[in-house]
Each structure stands twice: as C-alpha cells, then as structure tokens.
Amino acid sequence: MAKTEEVMIGFPGVYVAALVYSFSAWLVLLPLALFSGDFQDIAMAVVYPIAMCLLGILIVGPIGLLCFGAVISFDFAFGKVLSSRTASIAAGGLTGFVCTGGPLCWSEPFCLVLALPGTIVGQLCAARFFDRNATDEPCRGRRDWWRYDLRQMMKATAWVAVALACARLIPNGVHVLGIGSLVWICMQATTFYSGKTFKRLLLKSRSQ
C-alpha cells in the first residue's frame, strides 16, 4: 500500500470527530442553560449542537481533504520524514484546528479555546481509525530527518512558496497562514507527545 493511501486511512475519523466535538457542547451548554432556568437558553442549548453538527458534517469533508493533502505534500516535500500513522494523526489534528477557527487566533485569541479540543478530538479519531483499519506494517518516517540534500531543500522551498502564494489570494491570508501554522505546530506537538506519554504511562501501570 502506498504511503498516501496509508495516511488516508484515518480520514473517516474527521467525520466522527465532527460528531463528537459538536455534541460534546451539550456537556457545557446544557448545565449552564439549566442553571439559568431560562427556557430560551435551554432551547438554544439543545438546538445549537445539532445545528453545529450538521454544519460540521458539510464542511469537514472538503476541509479534511485539503488538510490531509497539505500534510501529505509537506511529508513528501521534506523527504518523507513522518510515519504514516503520525502523518494521519497530524492531518486529523489539522482538520480539527482549521474547522474550529484556529487559524484566526492572531485576531481572535478566543479561537484557541475552541481549537485546542478540536485538535485533540481530530487527532484521537484519526488515530482510532488508523489503528483499527491499518492491516499492513505502516511506512515509517525517515530517521535521519535532520539531513537534507539540495533537491529536498528545493522541494521544501517550492512547497512553502506555493502555500504563501495561495495565502495571498485571501484577505490577511499571510497572517492567517503564518501565525496559524506556528500556533498549530506548537499545539500539535504538545498534544501529540502528551498523548504518547500518557499512553506509555497507562500501559506501564497496567503491566505492573
């Protein structure tokens, strides 16, 4: 199986992530609405997650394809530095980050409150689908990822140039792409390695 096909194994997880993220809003909105005692607030708390879920199902597919394509392109441009599982998880997290408005954090810092759980849910659902459906041994990342030749540097430069050219087509696109990418990379790395550490500690505690 080609590496691109392996990475896409986790793609259906973005739809599950949209459902989980949308309906998890009930855990926050319903208690607040019931505490207020206002019927209108209660009705909004019930209807809003359903509307958000329907909207999420409509937009998560196209955005997910773009995000998975971006991660796959990044991986190939930099010499296949990511394993198939890591790339799939990263793409799922990027989809959750973009769908919850994370790239707009430079103008609306509150978006980070929504983007953090969106990233985590996207990562978890993509990882779940990948682990359950990957039949063969997935492709591993290049261990000497810090070594680059001239061809790889030219590919990486071209990739970044295309991304910046596309960003200039939308208002404030360079800011959205630049700051949003920086925030997402930091968030992605933190949540990914925190999840790996938690899993390692959980397995260690079970084995004792």
Side-chain angles (χ1 to χ4, degrees):
M1 181 181 292
K3 187 172 183 180
T4 300
E5 296 174 348
E6 288 185 355
V7 176
M8 292 301 295
I9 290 175
F11 176 75
V14 301
Y15 288 99
V16 179
L19 295 174
V20 172
Y21 184 85
S22 299
F23 288 111
S24 63
W26 274 335
L27 300 177
V28 178
L29 296 178
L30 274 179
L32 294 176
L34 292 173
F35 181 78
S36 66
D38 190 341
F39 177 78
Q40 185 177 359
D41 291 341
I42 297 175
M44 285 295 298
V46 173
V47 173
Y48 180 74
I50 298 177
M52 189 168 61
C53 175
L54 295 176
L55 179 62
I57 292 297
L58 291 175
I59 68 173
V60 74
I63 293 178
L65 288 175
L66 291 175
C67 292
F68 271 75
V71 172
I72 292 171
S73 300
F74 170 89
D75 183 48
F76 276 96
F78 285 85
K80 299 181 180 181
V81 296
L82 301 176
S83 66
S84 297
R85 186 177 187 274
T86 301
S88 189
I89 295 174
L94 179 59
T95 304
F97 180 79
V98 173
C99 289
T100 51
L104 299 177
C105 59
W106 70 279
S107 59
E108 296 290 342
F110 180 74
C111 288
L112 288 177
V113 179
L114 303 175
L116 178 59
T119 301
I120 295 174
V121 172
Q123 288 177 341
L124 291 176
C125 292
R128 182 66 173 171
F129 265 78
F130 189 94
D131 293 338
R132 293 191 63 178
N133 297 287
T135 55
D136 301 326
E137 183 69 20
C139 295
R140 298 184 178 274
R142 186 164 55 86
R143 295 189 176 182
D144 56 340
W145 54 267
W146 60 88
R147 295 182 180 177
Y148 291 99
D149 55 26
L150 182 59
R151 180 180 300 178
Q152 291 171 346
M153 293 180 64
M154 291 177 64
K155 289 181 180 180
T157 302
W159 192 92
V160 173
V162 171
L164 291 175
C166 294
R168 294 180 66 89
L169 298 177
I170 61 177
N172 298 318
V174 176
H175 293 86
V176 171
L177 179 65
I179 300 179
S181 298
L182 179 61
V183 173
W184 172 72
I185 290 173
C186 295
M187 186 182 299
Q188 179 86 5
T190 301
T191 54
F192 181 76
Y193 285 105
S194 296
K196 289 186 65 175
T197 303
F198 176 77
K199 183 179 180 180
R200 189 182 303 112
L201 294 175
L202 183 63
L203 293 176
K204 184 178 180 180
S205 63
R206 287 181 177 179
S207 62
Q208 292 177 351

